[in-house]
Amino acid sequence: MKKMRLLCLLALLLLRTATARASAAVQGSQAGNRSSLPSLASCQKSCGNLSFEYPFGIGAGCFRPPQRDFELICNNADGASQHPRLFLHDGHTEVVGDIITSDKDGLPEIDVSFSRSVSVSPEVDAYNMSWNPWKSPCYYHVSLNFTGCDFDMYMLDPDTNKMVGGCNTTCPHEDITDSVARQDCNGTGCCTTQVYSEFARGFDIKFVRHKIGKLKLKAHSNRSSIWDTIDVTSNYASIPWAIAVDEPGPLGNSKDYACLSNHSSSQLAYQYHYTDTPQYHCYCDGGYRGNPYITDGCSRDKGNYSHAYKVNFLQQYAPTKIN
């Protein structure tokens, strides 16, 4: 009987050892997959007076693949007399504020600026423009000014072709200038539209000329450039960003695949709304700060540790209020 017990204990011990090794192997494999981040030591972290961190970056190996949503462009075309300008991967959307990587209180956002022009001619009555700064569906909070004469402007969701914004301009006086029109932007040569769009991949913008007659347009060769150009400029534009759950391999459905740092967690984005591709963002746990998207990016926040400890203590041990 004693021998039988010893054999059972030995078998149990071997089973536990094998299970522990298997578990460690799985965790090690997952950690290897999750930590397959190339060295970022040589990667640029600023452009002009703006700073950013991974998953955003400039150049191959410095931004998060596989899509190019996180690729940035630093444009030095204005020369040494001007600060370099930072753009999203489309080359048209300018970043106008530092890109913050960790924000537990809400979706991290990128403040951007957008400016494009379209040349017009009397023979053509309709024009099109696209603005697609982000490939994954996301929120857009945008206010745009359109400057031009006698056009209806429509902003459309590129996936559904549904109108999400628009306005129109008229130019009752032939001598109106674009600078005068922009002063009030009240519909005379300039109009404004605001769009708060959910899960859009950008916008298609369509311009349709009012039926005013082409002879009127041809009769004034000395008119202002407002008659020959449509200008689109942003008053305000903000793009919240998140990580799309589109990773290949065994962790393809993980909701925290990109949260590489210890002491980091993930939060599902748009969890109260429908979206075809789940998205999430990472943040450092309470009492830690830094970049959760890189290995060991979250470190102890010594300045806020005592406060965080007190808050946690009060939440756990505060007396229950009785109504």
Side-chain angles (χ1 to χ4, degrees), residues 48-111:
N49 59 351
L50 299 179
S51 63
F52 53 87
E53 290 185 304
Y54 192 88
F56 293 89
I58 297 174
C62 291
F63 62 90
R64 177 176 173 77
Q67 298 190 42
R68 296 176 60 196
D69 283 344
F70 300 100
E71 181 180 13
L72 302 175
I73 300 170
C74 190
N75 190 335
N76 296 284
D78 293 334
S81 61
Q82 299 289 333
H83 280 299
R85 300 165 64 191
L86 186 62
F87 291 85
L88 298 183
H89 70 89
D90 65 344
H92 300 294
T93 308
E94 183 175 2
V95 179
V96 296
D98 293 338
I99 299 179
I100 308 299
T101 58
S102 179
D103 186 356
K104 183 180 179 180
D105 296 328
L107 277 175
E109 297 182 345
I110 307 175
D111 291 330

Side-chain angles (χ1 to χ4, degrees), residues 59 67 79-80 96 100 123 150 153 163 165 175 204 235 239 271 297 317:
Q67 298 190 42
V96 296
I100 308 299
E123 294 78 19
D150 298 325
M153 288 76 167
M163 182 175 170
D175 57 352
D204 289 336
N235 294 316
I239 305 175
Q271 58 184 321
Y317 300 105

Side-chain angles (χ1 to χ4, degrees), residues 114 118 120 124-131 144 146 150-158 161-169 191 193 202-211 230-232:
F114 177 74
V118 177
V120 301
V124 181
D125 290 332
Y127 301 85
N128 296 285
M129 175 190 299
S130 294
W131 184 29
L144 295 179
F146 300 94
D150 298 325
F151 275 94
D152 292 324
M153 288 76 167
Y154 304 96
M155 294 185 67
L156 309 172
D157 184 316
N161 208 38
K162 178 182 177 182
M163 182 175 170
V164 295
C167 61
N168 62 79
T169 66
C191 66
T193 185
F203 302 103
D204 289 336
I205 307 174
K206 187 173 184 178
F207 311 93
V208 180
R209 195 194 305 275
H210 299 167
K211 299 300 182 181
I230 300 172
D231 291 320
V232 182

